[in-house]
């Protein structure tokens, strides 16, 4: 039996899987198939970019597959350097092309932009061989394989969530699939420590609560997954699939903010370093600023642990969302501006020291969401003033992400009368002001002129004065424009020569 896994990419609040990243879901799916008796040689992995560039004979492989699994879902879509997530039209085409059973799943079950949920259901109704996994796709794929192995009756398969025990096994068994990624070995392996939101009430727009309360993976399982990936040739790792790394195995005190567990993070990081001694990158993602502000002592210990075992250039994205107290209260956001400021300050005190790759060890990033309930013209001024205070106080931010809310059915934001259209002119004016007055001077401080950046991966060719665009492997890497046209896939060291709002120019260092 032949199986084809198509990676249409995912981008969620707490998981990223757009090249050079590969999401854990892909590995779980592959491992679930192996556990059900499917041989590794019978499992083929394709990225949607690879399919777009495929020859007709390669596409014929999809037509002969007994089962085609399509992973997709962009609940917080961004801009991507060299990859484009799968479109609904492409999903429809693939479903027509493949003769076997088709399973679609991932975050797309929550919706695709504003109409994806409806579109996925339409696909299912239009073809009796198309099935949408309404819970975890990896569990649905596992359960659809009957003894033999063969494909059972999908109509009789329960839509369910997988367990942490299952993904512990599947992550190990599915590690082999990374070798089929077209970018291998230059891929970032996104790893999960836990998922779900532990808060009693949730941010109005966030989709993480659909995964239920926090379910922690054991340290032993995460370390074992790192060992399996390393054995397959993985060198770049990110602990990114969780809403707040600082509350991994946190102690529930019965209120909305559990107490961090520094020992759990020490065991996790030291364990990964032990099983993957030659890794090139170990980064993280996602930190709740309220956790850091509420538990500064515990979080200081965790930050020092991260610096002890990680690699420089690390970024902790903090979901501030808004500096307007009215918006914070109306949308049940996580932290007030003073809390976020203290979290940014503490991380700067511990993590801003520059490392061997040319970047600070650990810096915060801030995420802002616009179009939320309660937003007025005043909101833009409060957000700008907050960022200006960060800059004027000499603190560093690795990134400032400003996006518009994308409400999904089932979230409070979907039921609210959102003010985005009314404030759109103000939003665009404010965003441009942040880019000019905050982003540019901040980037000049994060990577001053003449800074040497090590191991920049050449990814795409540019035009005009920019011959090549590249980035370092890691969390939220800085875009580097190089005047020369260089071989793609090559790593080079560069010297910073200039700055844009969100990118830098540089020249290659030749020794």
């Amino acid at each position: 039996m032949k199986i084809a896994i198509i990676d249409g990419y995912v981008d969620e609040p707490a998981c990223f899987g757009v090249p050079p990243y590969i999401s854990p879901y892909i590995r779980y799916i592959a491992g679930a198939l192996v556990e059900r008796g499917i041989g590794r040689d019978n499992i083929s992995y394709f990225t949607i970019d690879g399919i777009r560039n495929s020859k007709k004979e390669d596409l014929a492989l999809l037509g002969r597959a007994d089962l085609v699994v399509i992973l997709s879902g962009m609940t917080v879509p961004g801009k991507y350097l060299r990859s484009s997530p799968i479109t609904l039209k492409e999903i429809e085409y693939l479903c027509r092309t493949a003769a076997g059973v088709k399973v679609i799943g991932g975050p797309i079950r929550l919706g695709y932009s504003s109409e994806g949920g409806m579109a996925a259901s339409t696909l299912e109704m239009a073809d009796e061989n198309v099935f949408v996994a309404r819970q975890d796709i990896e569990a649905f794929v596992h359960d659809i394989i009957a003894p033999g192995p063969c494909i059972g009756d999908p109509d009789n398969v329960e839509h369910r969530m997988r367990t942490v025990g299952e993904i512990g096994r599947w992550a190990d068994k599915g590690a082999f699939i990374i070798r089929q990624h077209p970018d291998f070995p230059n891929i970032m392996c996104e790893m999960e420590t836990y998922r779900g939101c532990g808060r009693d009430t949730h941010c109005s727009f966030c989709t993480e609560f659909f995964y239920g309360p926090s379910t922690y993976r054991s340290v032993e399982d995460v370390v074992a997954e790192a060992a399996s990936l390393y054995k397959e040739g993985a060198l770049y790792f990110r602990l990114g699939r969780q809403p707040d790394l600082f509350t991994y195995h946190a102690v529930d005190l019965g209120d909305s903010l559990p107490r961090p567990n520094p020992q759990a993070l020490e065991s996790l990081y030291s364990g990964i370093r032990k099983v993957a001694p030659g890794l090139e990158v170990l980064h993280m993602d996602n930190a709740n600023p309220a956790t850091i502000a509420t538990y500064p002592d515990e979080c200081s210990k965790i930050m020092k642990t991260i610096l002890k075992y990680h690699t420089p250039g690390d970024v902790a994205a903090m979901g501030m969302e808004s500096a307007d107290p009215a918006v914070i209260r109306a949308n049940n956001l996580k932290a007030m501006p003073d809390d976020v400021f203290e979290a940014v300050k503490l991380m700067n005190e511990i993590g801003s020291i520059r490392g061997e790759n040319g970047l600070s060890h650990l810096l915060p990033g801030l995420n802002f969401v616009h179009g939320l309930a309660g937003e007025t013209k005043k909101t833009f001024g409060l957000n700008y003033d907050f960022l200006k205070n960060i800059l004027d106080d000499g603190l560093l931010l690795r990134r400032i992400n400003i996006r518009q809310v994308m409400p999904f059915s089932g979230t409070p934001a979907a039921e609210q009368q959102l003010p985005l259209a009314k404030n759109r002119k103000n939003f665009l004016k404010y965003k441009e002001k942040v880019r000019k007055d905050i982003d540019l001077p901040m980037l000049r401080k994060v990577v001053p002129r003449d800074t040497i950046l090590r191991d920049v991966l050449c990814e795409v060719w540019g035009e005009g004065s920019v011959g090549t665009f590249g980035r370092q492997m890691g969390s939220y890497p800085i875009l580097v424009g190089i005047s020369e046209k260089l071989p793609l896939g090559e790593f080079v060291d560069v010297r910073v020569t200039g700055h844009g709002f969100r990118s830098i120019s540089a020249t290659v260092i030749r020794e």
Side-chain angles (χ1 to χ4, degrees), residues 241-291:
R241 206 286 166 249
Q242 70 279 312
D244 178 12
L245 185 63
F246 286 80
T247 52
Y248 175 57
H249 281 292
V251 180
D252 187 356
L253 301 178
D255 54 24
S256 60
L257 275 179
R259 184 185 298 277
N261 182 348
Q263 184 54 51
L265 274 297
E266 167 71 30
S267 299
L268 177 65
Y269 271 86
S270 63
I272 291 173
R273 273 296 193 172
K274 185 175 181 179
V275 300
L279 62 78
E280 295 288 340
V281 170
L282 176 57
H283 281 180
M284 64 159 291
D285 194 17
N286 301 322
N288 183 351
T291 301

Side-chain angles (χ1 to χ4, degrees), residues 29 50 54 69-70 75 95 97 152 157-158 160 293 345 419 421 427 467 490:
I29 293 167
S54 290
V69 182
I70 302 174
T75 57
C95 288
T97 301
V157 173
E158 177 188 0
R160 66 176 181 88
K345 183 178 179 181
F427 169 76
E490 180 178 289

Side-chain angles (χ1 to χ4, degrees), residues 421-495:
K422 181 177 67 175
N423 289 324
R424 183 160 180 78
K425 283 187 178 180
N426 292 326
F427 169 76
L428 295 175
K429 185 177 179 180
Y430 141 85
K431 188 173 182 180
E432 183 180 6
K433 187 174 176 62
V434 170
R435 296 297 179 234
K436 289 181 178 179
D437 297 351
I438 309 294
D439 272 321
L440 182 56
M442 183 66 74
L443 191 56
R444 286 172 175 160
K445 293 170 65 176
V446 171
V447 277
R449 185 183 291 267
D450 291 327
T451 298
I452 294 174
L453 298 180
R454 303 291 183 186
D455 298 321
V456 174
L457 176 64
C458 299
E459 295 191 68
V460 294
W461 286 321
E463 297 178 354
S465 61
V466 179
T468 309
F469 285 107
R471 298 175 295 183
Q472 293 171 305
M473 298 290 283
S475 277
Y476 308 106
I478 298 171
L479 182 62
V480 181
I482 305 168
S483 58
E484 301 177 50
K485 191 170 186 177
L486 300 170
L488 301 185
E490 180 178 289
F491 286 92
V492 295
D493 296 340
V494 301
R495 186 185 304 276

Side-chain angles (χ1 to χ4, degrees), residues 193-351:
T193 63
Y194 75 94
R195 73 173 186 180
C197 182
R199 299 180 71 201
D200 296 331
T201 52
H202 309 284
C203 300
S204 66
F205 60 90
C206 188
T207 58
E208 186 65 19
F209 84 94
F210 286 118
Y211 292 109
S214 301
T215 52
Y216 301 107
R217 297 182 66 192
S218 70
V219 170
E220 294 76 16
D221 275 3
V222 180
V223 170
E225 179 184 0
S228 298
L229 291 167
Y230 186 70
K231 193 176 298 182
E232 293 291 344
L235 296 172
Y236 309 97
F237 300 83
R238 187 173 81 157
L239 300 171
R241 206 286 166 249
Q242 70 279 312
D244 178 12
L245 185 63
F246 286 80
T247 52
Y248 175 57
H249 281 292
V251 180
D252 187 356
L253 301 178
D255 54 24
S256 60
L257 275 179
R259 184 185 298 277
N261 182 348
Q263 184 54 51
L265 274 297
E266 167 71 30
S267 299
L268 177 65
Y269 271 86
S270 63
I272 291 173
R273 273 296 193 172
K274 185 175 181 179
V275 300
L279 62 78
E280 295 288 340
V281 170
L282 176 57
H283 281 180
M284 64 159 291
D285 194 17
N286 301 322
N288 183 351
T291 301
I292 299 172
T294 305
Y295 301 105
D297 292 340
E298 291 85 350
C299 291
S300 293
K301 291 179 182 178
I302 291 171
M303 290 179 202
K304 291 173 182 176
T305 292
I306 292 171
L307 263 65
K308 182 179 178 182
Y309 296 109
H310 82 155
T311 57
D314 211 348
V315 181
M318 299 182 184
M320 180 178 189
E321 325 306 0
S322 180
D324 185 342
V327 175
I328 295 169
R329 286 189 288 267
N331 297 275
N332 193 41
L333 303 183
K334 297 179 285 294
M336 285 292 177
D338 287 348
D339 294 329
V340 179
F341 191 91
E342 289 305 311
V344 168
K345 183 178 179 181
L346 181 59
M347 188 165 288
N348 267 258
E349 290 172 356
I350 294 172

Side-chain angles (χ1 to χ4, degrees), residues 64-134:
R64 295 195 296 270
D66 300 285
L67 173 64
V68 176
V69 182
I70 302 174
L71 176 72
S72 174
M74 317 299 285
T75 57
V76 286
K79 295 180 179 179
Y80 312 106
L81 177 62
R82 57 182 173 87
S83 295
S84 298
I86 197 169
T87 66
L88 291 174
K89 285 186 177 180
E90 287 174 327
I91 294 175
E92 292 170 355
Y93 170 77
L94 291 169
C95 288
R96 291 196 306 268
T97 301
V101 172
K102 283 80 67 173
V103 174
I104 304 168
I108 193 173
R109 70 182 177 86
L110 305 176
Y112 193 103
S113 299
S114 60
E115 57 186 8
M118 180 174 62
S121 299
T122 301
L123 284 170
E124 192 173 38
M125 290 185 292
D127 186 333
E128 63 180 10
N129 282 326
V130 175
F131 300 88
V132 176
R134 289 182 168 78

